[in-house]
Structure formats: C-alpha cells, structure tokens
Amino acid sequence: MRYAFFLGCKTPFYVPAYESSTRAVCAALDVELVELEFTCCGYPMRNLYFESFLHSACRTLAMAEKAGLDIMTQCKCCLGAFKTAAYYLQEDRNLWDHVNARLSEDGLEYTGKAVAKHLLTVLHNDVGLETIKQKIVRPYRDMNVAVLHGCHALRPSQMTNFDDPWHPLISDELVLVTGAQIVDWAGKLSCCGAPLRGRNDELAAGMIEKRLNEAQEAGGEVLCVSCPYSPTCRPAGPMNTKHRRTRRGSAALPCTRNSWGWPWARTQETWASAKARSVEPSC
C-alpha cells in the first residue's frame, strides 16, 4: 500500500509530533509513504487568488498522478483544498483546460485519476479497523476521549466526501479500536477557532477555550484532533476551575492529541497519571 505523502506546511513547523507519529503508525501498518517535491496545497490563497489556488492544488494532484499514486495528507485543510479544486474542475471543463494549460509548462497534466485522502480515511477504509486492532499491543484503559472532528474535511460534504457531516464516525471508530472510550459532547462538530488566529485573536482564543470546557463538562480527559491547525490554538486564560480536576484528582488542562494518542501538550500531573494507566502510544 503506497501513497504520495503530502506533509503540508503547518505540521512540520507547529506539530512535528504529528508527522513522527504518522510515520511510525504507517510503518507499523505497512503503509509506504512516498516523498515527492510538493509545494503548497493552495489553501491559504483560496479566498484571495482563486486561480493560483487551483493551480497549486492541481499541480500537486498532477504530480501524484504522474507517479501513479494517490495522495495521503494529515491536514484536513489540505484535504479540503484538493477536494475543492477537483470539484471545481469537474464542474467546469473550460476551467479544467485553463489549469492544464498552466500545468503543461511544467510537463504535467491533471486528468482526475489521483485521489486525495486523509490519514484517517487511509487507516479506517484502506488499512481497516480489524488490521489495526491486531497490531495494538498496549490498548488504552479508562481513557475518556472527546473527539473534535474538524471543519475542512467534513464540509462542504458534497466536495470532500470524507464522512457524514452531521454524524461522523471515522474518528470515533479509530479511537474505539485502541481501547479508549468516546464521550458525546456539545462542541464535537464546532470550529476550534484556528482560522481566526491573526485576524481576531481574542475570538479565536475564546472559541478553543469554549471547546475545552465543553469537552471537560462531558467527562472528556483528552481532546483528540486530527488537524494540525487545532493544536496551535490556546485559550485566553485559565479554564473554569470547576472543570479543572479530572476524575482521578489531577489538576490539569486537557491534553491535545492527534488521533493516535501521541501527546502534544500535557501537564506533568496528567502525564504521570496516564503512565500509571499504561496509555503510552498503542501502535
């Protein structure tokens, strides 16, 4: 099983643990990640320079197509960019021809054969839950997880075709197969606030603080995310004190993790508690 690995911009700079854990998990599951000389997915330009966005996204797809591979990315914003660009080209043949005219200058052509997939889709659909379950050697115990499903992979659903936008299951089922438990909580389909950073920092900080409080109110001990934007968010101030103590008595902010349980931020008290419960990375 081979994929062209699109790492993106945010992951190596802000959350390098997401990259290292992805490589470790894929290696354990015999998923080969092929490195190509990709550039930007185009997402940052989508609302400013639409033509440049299309060219950048389709250039990546065309490179993967030339290598005979589908793309796997960890970033839901990158996935959304690739899916959106492909959708627009399928809807407008003139636009498709215009983009290919630009790509031909680099000896590339986009025909629609290469498909962009998120890491979670590869794990859930291509590798399969049963295969993953067989590889787990240290399952989680007594870990209550609040999954933040993210925005850009789920919506617009007619473009991304990632999961049910109102009742997503992929992330939940991947967490459950590790032995952890899922908590149902109010903010699971809401925005983390990351797109507002740099534009309205106060509102962005307020949004992630609300998500963290909602997760704790529902009994979540871990906030599980699978987009490199979400871990860059920080609350404006301390959490509500009435929600700051876990059921095991350790005072801490919730951990922000990727879907495979590798910690990005955790206080010493909570990490010590987790080690006592044998909740190191499972795979």
Side-chain angles (χ1 to χ4, degrees):
M1 198 177 300
R2 303 172 74 239
Y3 298 92
F5 185 34
F6 188 85
L7 184 57
C9 307
K10 289 282 184 181
T11 298
F13 187 80
Y14 288 106
V15 282
Y18 195 8
E19 176 188 358
S20 59
S21 60
T22 296
R23 292 185 185 277
V25 168
C26 286
L29 295 172
D30 297 322
V31 177
E32 183 182 351
L33 303 179
V34 179
E35 309 283 349
L36 300 179
E37 293 187 10
F38 289 134
T39 53
C40 181
C41 69
Y43 169 76
M45 299 178 287
R46 186 172 63 179
N47 295 322
L48 296 173
Y49 307 103
F50 186 70
E51 184 178 329
S52 297
F53 152 67
L54 286 177
H55 179 261
S56 187
C58 292
R59 183 179 187 276
T60 299
L61 291 166
M63 289 178 66
E65 189 174 300
K66 189 174 183 178
L69 298 169
D70 287 335
I71 291 173
M72 189 197 81
T73 181
Q74 308 154 289
C75 180
K76 290 185 175 179
C77 294
C78 294
L79 178 72
F82 296 137
K83 294 288 191 178
T84 299
Y87 179 87
Y88 277 118
L89 264 61
Q90 290 169 1
E91 293 292 306
D92 189 337
R93 186 68 211 189
N94 290 331
L95 190 61
W96 192 320
D97 292 340
H98 177 72
V99 168
N100 268 330
R102 292 283 306 277
L103 292 176
S104 65
E105 298 173 8
D106 296 325
L108 297 171
E109 181 184 12
Y110 172 66
T111 69
K113 292 181 181 179
V115 176
K117 300 181 180 183
H118 191 269
L119 167 66
L120 300 188
T121 305
V122 170
L123 295 176
H124 186 276
N125 298 345
D126 298 352
V127 175
L129 296 176
E130 189 58 36
T131 299
I132 294 171
K133 188 175 183 179
Q134 293 172 4
K135 293 284 187 177
I136 293 175
V137 296
R138 193 179 295 115
Y140 294 132
R141 300 197 306 267
D142 302 323
M143 174 70 78
N144 295 325
V145 177
V147 175
L148 183 61
H149 290 276
C151 306
H152 294 276
L154 291 176
R155 299 180 288 271
S157 59
Q158 72 273 21
M159 294 184 181
T160 61
N161 294 307
F162 173 73
D163 202 350
D164 186 324
W166 301 111
H167 304 284
L169 293 174
I170 289 177
S171 296
D172 286 356
E173 291 180 351
L174 285 168
V175 170
L176 288 171
V177 81
T178 68
Q181 298 300 312
I182 298 294
V183 299
D184 191 23
W185 63 296
K188 63 182 180 181
L189 298 180
S190 300
C191 180
C192 66
L196 293 169
R197 290 179 67 243
R199 298 173 178 84
N200 189 331
D201 290 339
E202 182 179 357
L203 180 56
M207 290 176 71
I208 191 59
E209 185 174 341
K210 185 176 182 180
R211 298 290 88 79
L212 293 170
N213 279 314
E214 289 169 338
Q216 283 196 316
E217 288 170 356
E221 298 172 290
V222 169
L223 183 64
C224 176
V225 301
S226 52
C227 181
Y229 273 79
S230 298
T232 66
C233 297
R234 295 291 182 270
M239 303 278 288
N240 294 336
T241 55
K242 65 179 181 180
H243 303 312
R244 291 196 67 196
R245 299 194 68 84
T246 71
R247 59 184 176 83
R248 291 186 177 267
S250 58
L253 293 176
C255 170
T256 303
R257 294 180 167 205
N258 72 2
S259 291
W260 280 92
W262 289 62
W264 281 329
R266 184 186 275 278
T267 62
Q268 291 182 349
E269 294 92 342
T270 306
W271 180 239
S273 175
K275 287 183 70 177
R277 288 182 283 151
S278 296
V279 294
E280 292 90 340
S282 305
C283 189

